[in-house]
Amino acid sequence: SYKTIEFITEKEPTARQFRNWMRRIDDELKNKNTHVVLIIDNMDRLPIAKVKEIWATIHAFFAECNYNYIQTVIPFDRNHIINAFKEENIQEIALPHNTDTEANVVAGAPKSYGNDFINKTFFVVFRVAPPILSDWRDYFEKIWQEAFGPNIYRKHDTLLLIFEKLSQEFTPRKIIAFINECVTIYYVMGDKIPVEYVGLYVIGKEDIMKDPDKQLLNPNFLGSLKNKYENDEELPKYLSAIHYQIDKDKALDVVYQSQVIKAMEDGNIRYITDMGNDRVLNALLPNAISELTN
């Protein structure tokens, strides 16, 4: 059996009240010969203003007090912390020994306030090496099979190539995020969309969302796969179908037909030339011309 003691306060405690409260907990842990480890995680996901606020609190409550039975572990990205405090950086000035004139003052490199804050906050800092996923392909295949099942799993080869050629990193988090997005799109659109086009959309979605008119018809995010897909007449249809969640065979007509008609009626030649995909334009023009009123 155990006993739970709950403290509720509606007022934010002062630094002194918090330290006294922590000392009482530390003393109670001593009586029970028990240790507590506090882990403050995900600092690198916070906005800069919040990082500064929380880091100052950590420094005041934990760095300036020693607890015997309470330890604090804080995983952090040094560059993120340094960036949060870069406005506090000090420009060091070096003065040559043999001069007393301001003209010969030499400015040194800025002193990083973030590094100083880190050094003054922690008693010990361990550097953790970045993960190296040497067998990431095996891991990709494992997660892919778990996500899609054995039937769709057999179609993974092209998608693995897409991820390898267009992804910037091969960490477990990136692989899982990529496959999860493929899963959601696949089950929203059904099996009418081949998974390779789903993968291409996931890779290029940020570029597509910024400028769908151009990126859906003439994507510039294909990188080294451009030669493979630049003559693929199905690519604009599938990407448009995924983006607007409509049927592939109607995607180009629904999305671009009315815009091409309007551009021709308005004499907007630039819109048509900027489409950048002659095959799509040639497919749209016959119907568009027949529906012109001007």
Side-chain angles (χ1 to χ4, degrees):
S1 63
Y2 59 89
K3 179 172 64 175
T4 301
I5 301 176
E6 185 175 350
F7 295 92
I8 300 177
T9 178
E10 296 180 357
K11 296 181 179 180
E12 185 174 347
T14 64
R16 182 177 180 181
Q17 290 172 332
F18 182 84
R19 292 193 192 101
N20 290 337
W21 179 66
M22 290 291 290
R23 288 194 183 97
R24 290 200 300 270
I25 294 178
D26 195 52
D27 292 338
E28 186 66 22
L29 292 171
K30 178 181 178 181
N31 295 333
K32 296 183 178 181
N33 194 26
T34 302
H35 290 261
V36 167
V37 178
L38 302 178
I39 300 177
I40 304 176
D41 201 1
N42 293 328
M43 290 285 289
D44 58 328
R45 299 185 184 181
L46 296 175
I48 287 176
K50 201 67 176 178
V51 169
K52 296 174 69 173
E53 177 184 335
I54 293 180
W55 201 274
T57 302
I58 291 170
H59 182 83
F61 292 159
F62 298 101
E64 298 179 2
C65 298
N66 292 326
Y67 304 108
N68 296 317
Y69 292 85
I70 300 175
Q71 283 76 42
T72 307
V73 177
I74 306 176
F76 67 91
D77 181 345
R78 182 176 290 269
N79 289 333
H80 190 63
I81 303 302
I82 290 174
N83 186 53
F85 289 98
K86 67 180 180 181
E87 294 180 357
E88 315 292 338
N89 289 352
I90 301 172
Q91 184 75 37
E92 292 186 328
I93 303 297
L95 291 176
H97 294 293
N98 298 325
T99 183
D100 55 2
T101 62
E102 293 185 2
N104 291 322
V105 171
V106 179
K111 182 178 181 181
S112 173
Y113 188 77
N115 270 327
D116 279 354
F117 215 163
I118 291 171
N119 295 334
K120 292 176 180 178
T121 299
F122 299 113
F123 294 107
V124 178
V125 176
F126 290 93
R127 177 186 172 274
V128 179
I132 299 177
L133 197 63
S134 57
D135 56 345
W136 71 267
R137 292 179 183 82
D138 293 338
Y139 183 78
F140 186 101
E141 293 182 3
K142 175 179 177 293
I143 301 300
W144 178 262
Q145 185 174 16
E146 290 177 357
F148 280 97
N151 292 330
I152 304 177
Y153 170 69
R154 290 195 295 269
K155 306 174 184 178
H156 81 285
D157 291 341
T158 302
L159 198 63
L160 184 62
L161 174 65
I162 291 171
F163 185 78
E164 179 178 9
K165 296 298 184 182
L166 303 183
S167 181
Q168 300 299 317
E169 53 182 300
F170 306 98
T171 63
R173 180 182 295 179
K174 186 73 173 181
I175 291 173
I176 292 174
F178 173 79
I179 293 178
N180 282 346
E181 287 197 61
C182 290
V183 169
T184 57
I185 292 175
Y186 187 84
Y187 284 107
V188 167
M189 300 300 299
D191 58 3
K192 297 178 181 179
I193 308 291
V195 290
E196 66 176 292
Y197 296 103
V198 173
L200 287 171
Y201 180 84
V202 171
I203 290 290
K205 66 176 182 177
E206 293 185 5
D207 292 320
I208 292 173
M209 289 179 179
K210 291 177 183 177
D211 192 357
D213 283 350
K214 290 184 179 180
Q215 294 300 325
L216 291 173
L217 298 181
N218 192 28
N220 63 7
F221 56 82
L222 295 175
S224 60
L225 295 179
K226 182 177 180 179
N227 291 336
K228 177 178 174 61
Y229 288 102
E230 64 179 351
N231 296 320
D232 187 344
E233 297 182 6
E234 298 298 302
L235 179 62
K237 298 178 184 179
Y238 282 123
L239 292 183
S240 299
I242 295 171
H243 187 70
Y244 293 105
Q245 296 186 352
I246 55 180
D247 185 81
K248 183 264 294 187
D249 294 327
K250 300 178 180 179
L252 296 183
D253 291 339
V254 170
V255 176
Y256 298 103
Q257 184 87 326
S258 61
Q259 297 184 47
V260 170
I261 294 174
K262 185 177 186 305
M264 289 195 295
E265 289 182 337
D266 295 342
N268 185 1
I269 305 302
R270 178 176 292 275
Y271 175 82
I272 296 177
T273 56
D274 283 350
M275 290 181 69
N277 193 315
D278 293 340
R279 290 184 177 84
V280 172
L281 186 60
N282 289 336
L284 293 173
L285 278 178
N287 290 334
I289 292 173
S290 66
E291 295 184 21
L292 283 175
T293 57
N294 181 357

